[in-house]
Amino acid sequence: MRFEYGWYEIDIGIGIYKQTSSASMIFDSLHNYVFGVDDIEKKIQFGHPYAPYCIVSFYIIFCKWIGPALMVDRKPFELKNVLIFYNFFQMIVNTYLTIKAVEGLLRMWNVRCEEYTTSPEMAVVVKDFDLALWHLYLIKYIDLFDAVFFVLRKKEKQITFLHLFHHAVLCLICYIYLESLDIAFYLIVALAINIFIHVIMYLYYFLSAFGPHMQKYLWWKRYLTTLQMIQFGIILMYMAVSFGTGCHKTGPMEISFFCFIAALLALFTNFYTKSFVNK
């Protein structure tokens, strides 16, 4: 009996070891996926070239139809602690990305008018920021949870065309640019400004997640929307000057991105007018 009991203990020990080993392997794989710099060109595809398009499509379908249908007969989830953690996480990550983006802008400034594919200097700088670009790309997909949380909390009025259009198209733009390796300076400028605004935006969401008693400290929502409009104006002006002076080429991708930013400016202006001017 004692001998068998000893083997029983050994078997348990082996089982625990195997479970620990498996958990460690999963953690290592996840860590390598998020923080590894190898095969970033493949990782942005999430396993398949069409995967980003499928993710964005499902995101829109879920937020507009599937999610609300599933929540019809259910009480809204409170998600207070989840939102506090999520918004705090977003603040930290976007702060890190803002710092990296500013660092990249400073290093790229002298070669800002050169193309990534033809400029060794630009290619070296972009290569040094591979990990930051990968993290920026990932965070754009994590941003999609904003609307998912609206669905789970039955805040359908906040799931506007502006919200879905903004997040969905930005995911695909980042994917297309990274896949084509067309990392132009104006794109870094746009993303740097955008993620800085996101730090402030998620600070607002972080504070509001604590409950109604925080509303008296959130009087600056109007100015946050103003900042969002200003960012698009700055991006459009920079792109217009860059294209006009020949600093950057003007092709289909550049024109599409310019139109996207212009559309966001128009949509945010409309939102601002309805929410704060005509209210």
Side-chain angles (χ1 to χ4, degrees), residues 146-205:
D146 288 7
V148 173
F149 292 140
F150 288 150
V151 171
L152 297 178
R153 296 166 64 212
K154 302 186 78 168
K155 302 281 186 180
E156 287 86 357
K157 289 184 179 180
Q158 293 180 276
I159 308 174
T160 61
F161 172 79
L162 166 60
H163 188 94
L164 295 179
F165 174 75
H166 176 202
H167 288 289
V169 176
L170 195 53
C171 284
L172 297 181
I173 285 177
C174 288
Y175 172 61
I176 292 169
Y177 271 92
L178 288 176
E179 189 182 41
S180 64
L181 296 178
D182 193 0
I183 313 298
F185 188 78
Y186 69 83
L187 181 66
I188 305 299
V189 170
L191 291 173
I193 298 173
N194 182 253
I195 55 182
F196 170 70
I197 297 298
H198 273 64
V199 174
I200 303 173
M201 184 184 76
Y202 282 109
L203 170 61
Y204 176 89
Y205 289 151

Side-chain angles (χ1 to χ4, degrees), residues 205-221:
Y205 289 151
F206 173 72
L207 294 174
S208 65
F210 283 93
H213 67 281
M214 294 297 294
Q215 289 302 312
K216 60 183 177 181
Y217 302 110
L218 301 175
W219 49 267
W220 45 279
K221 180 180 180 180

Side-chain angles (χ1 to χ4, degrees), residues 10-124:
I10 292 174
D11 287 341
I12 291 177
I14 293 173
I16 293 173
Y17 172 77
K18 288 181 178 179
Q19 290 180 351
T20 303
S21 179
S22 298
S24 178
M25 289 176 62
I26 293 172
F27 176 80
D28 290 342
S29 297
L30 182 61
H31 182 274
N32 183 62
Y33 182 77
V34 175
F35 296 101
V37 294
D38 298 329
D39 297 325
I40 288 179
E41 294 82 1
K42 293 182 179 179
K43 287 198 290 188
I44 63 172
Q45 297 179 351
F46 297 130
H48 193 280
Y50 293 117
Y53 299 100
C54 293
I55 292 171
V56 168
S57 298
F58 180 76
Y59 160 73
I60 295 173
I61 294 170
F62 176 84
C63 292
K64 290 299 293 182
W65 295 287
I66 297 177
L70 292 174
M71 293 298 296
V72 167
D73 298 321
R74 291 180 170 86
K75 292 182 179 180
F77 292 93
E78 184 178 350
L79 302 178
K80 179 179 179 179
N81 292 330
V82 173
L83 290 173
I84 290 173
F85 172 79
Y86 172 76
N87 291 311
F88 182 75
F89 168 80
Q90 285 278 18
M91 277 196 305
I92 298 301
V93 173
N94 279 281
T95 299
Y96 150 73
L97 290 173
T98 299
I99 294 171
K100 297 299 291 185
V102 171
E103 184 182 343
L105 289 175
L106 293 175
R107 287 188 57 186
M108 291 179 184
W109 182 255
N110 292 331
V111 292
R112 62 188 180 279
C113 295
E114 299 182 22
E115 297 295 330
Y116 169 81
T117 53
T118 58
S119 169
E121 293 85 357
M122 177 69 85
V124 168

